[in-house]
Amino acid sequence: MEKDILILALETSCDETACAVIRNGREILSNVIHTQIAIHEIYGGVVPEIASREHINRVSQVVTKALEEAGLELKEVDAVGVTYGPGLVGALLIGVSMAKAMAFGAGLPLVGVNHIEGHICANFLEYPELKPPFVALVVSGGHTHLVEVKDLGEYRLIGRTRDDAAGEAFDKVARAIGLGYPGGPKIDAAARQGNAHAFTFTRAKVQDSPYDFSFSGLKSAVLNLLHHAEQVGERIDPNDLAASFQRSVVEVLTEHSMEAVREFGYDSLVLAGGVAANSALRESLKEACAKRKLKLYAPRPALCTDNAAMIGSAAYFRYMKGERSGWDLNAVPNLALF
Ligand code: KG4
Ligand code: ZN
């Protein structure tokens, strides 16, 4: 029997302060998340300075709780993993500084993790048998990528958004409809009460890049519809608008993903990122995959949105490859995956 590898991981890239303990990259021993949603809600979006301050206030408690729930002391883990980008610089710095201090103090190795890679790795926690290669659709607040994952760290970009990320579009449209922050879950809920065929928005085609996405035109179309209705004194049902907007996003994400899986000869699709929690997207991909006899991998919604468990999984696989970060590890707000 090989020795278990335990990773304590931290995630503070945006508005969740999170810490988890992961065994062998696949098993969650604890997964603690302190969400700042209630704090940012009154501003209608994440305020970076407030996020940083709240991370400072919470990070120690969250780490203590994660170790307690795992029944471990810091010195019993094998390494400390931490998100060092992409994300908000001040927010990332809290996690990176805390992770460095803990690793240095306990004499443990430090492993910096790319947040987007973490999102993909959430699938390894949900599906112990899953291994690359596969095609992944990564849809978060800042990223929309169709990517061929040949191995961990070996990526080939198939398609990406040319403007807004899918989650960003959800957030902006939710604000315009008056649903508030965070937009994704609010639109998801409103759409369930609405008619998804009440409005049809034309699809923006991205020239010469069949797998790329563009969501800013759709967002403008929704805004124009709202402004026009306001001018002529017409009432638009926000649930219908939410459902129709969501249908547009879901359709294009589904079509491009199915095309990519077919074109590149895979028999499954891996879904990741905060927008992967969207019920309509999950349903649409489930149906599309079933029709084509493909397998869909989608983590439970709590592992799709930001958490440290996924960072622990990514850190484990990096650690096993012998990767270690130096004490000069810094926050990289625009860290790329490719
Ligand atoms: O991955 P994530 O938690 O943070 C980033 O790395 O960006 O993604 C956050 C994004 C936000 O834009 C949020 O509105 C969206 O994911 N989101 C959703 C849902 N839950 C979160 N979008 C659509 N439907 C949801 N249920
Ligand atoms: Zn994220």
Side-chain angles (χ1 to χ4, degrees), residues 5-236:
I5 299 294
L6 301 171
I7 306 276
L8 176 115
L10 275 162
E11 154 63 42
T12 65
S13 68
C14 190
D15 59 346
E16 331 280 349
T17 317
C19 184
V21 180
I22 302 301
R23 179 154 51 206
N24 299 330
R26 302 270 184 181
E27 199 188 331
I28 301 174
L29 300 190
S30 65
N31 184 21
V32 179
I33 304 175
H34 167 72
T35 178
Q36 304 179 1
I37 286 177
I39 296 165
H40 299 288
E41 205 167 16
I42 46 173
Y43 304 99
V46 179
V47 183
E49 177 63 22
I50 296 175
S52 309
R53 289 172 188 275
E54 187 61 11
H55 284 310
I56 293 181
N57 288 341
R58 296 292 177 160
V59 72
S60 296
Q61 291 168 10
V62 166
V63 169
T64 304
K65 196 157 173 230
L67 281 168
E68 246 170 45
E69 285 183 12
L72 292 166
E73 286 181 41
L74 180 59
K75 62 176 191 286
E76 292 177 276
V77 308
D78 295 277
V80 177
V82 63
T83 305
Y84 72 105
L88 302 169
V89 66
L92 287 165
L93 273 173
I94 311 304
V96 169
S97 308
M98 182 73 180
K100 282 204 269 192
M102 285 194 304
F104 188 79
L108 298 170
L110 177 71
V111 183
V113 171
N114 179 310
H115 181 82
I116 302 301
E117 184 167 274
H119 273 302
I120 295 171
C121 290
N123 283 278
F124 298 136
L125 299 166
E126 196 69 274
Y127 304 99
E129 77 291 355
L130 176 65
K131 283 195 180 92
F134 49 72
V135 169
L137 172 67
V138 186
V139 271
S140 72
H143 296 79
T144 304
H145 288 327
L146 252 176
V147 46
E148 188 180 8
V149 180
K150 295 180 185 167
D151 198 354
L152 202 82
E154 226 186 290
Y155 304 106
R156 188 159 71 95
L157 182 67
I158 300 171
R160 65 179 166 88
T161 182
R162 291 297 186 90
D163 37 60
D164 291 351
E168 195 179 349
F170 269 95
D171 294 335
K172 287 177 176 170
V173 165
R175 196 174 310 153
I177 305 179
L179 296 174
Y181 162 89
K186 298 245 165 109
I187 289 200
D188 197 342
R192 278 190 216 125
Q193 319 294 321
N195 172 9
H197 294 272
F199 307 101
T200 295
F201 301 104
T202 48
R203 169 95 47 92
K205 276 260 177 271
V206 182
Q207 217 80 57
D208 304 326
S209 306
Y211 299 110
D212 277 0
F213 304 96
S214 168
F215 294 111
S216 77
L218 172 61
K219 174 196 65 192
S220 303
V222 172
L223 294 180
N224 287 343
L225 191 94
L226 280 168
H227 289 153
H228 176 74
E230 204 177 295
Q231 275 165 4
V232 300
E234 188 189 322
R235 199 192 101 76
I236 288 186

Side-chain angles (χ1 to χ4, degrees), residues 307-319:
N307 64 85
M310 66 187 198
I311 304 303
S313 176
Y316 166 82
F317 290 105
R318 292 276 173 184
Y319 173 88

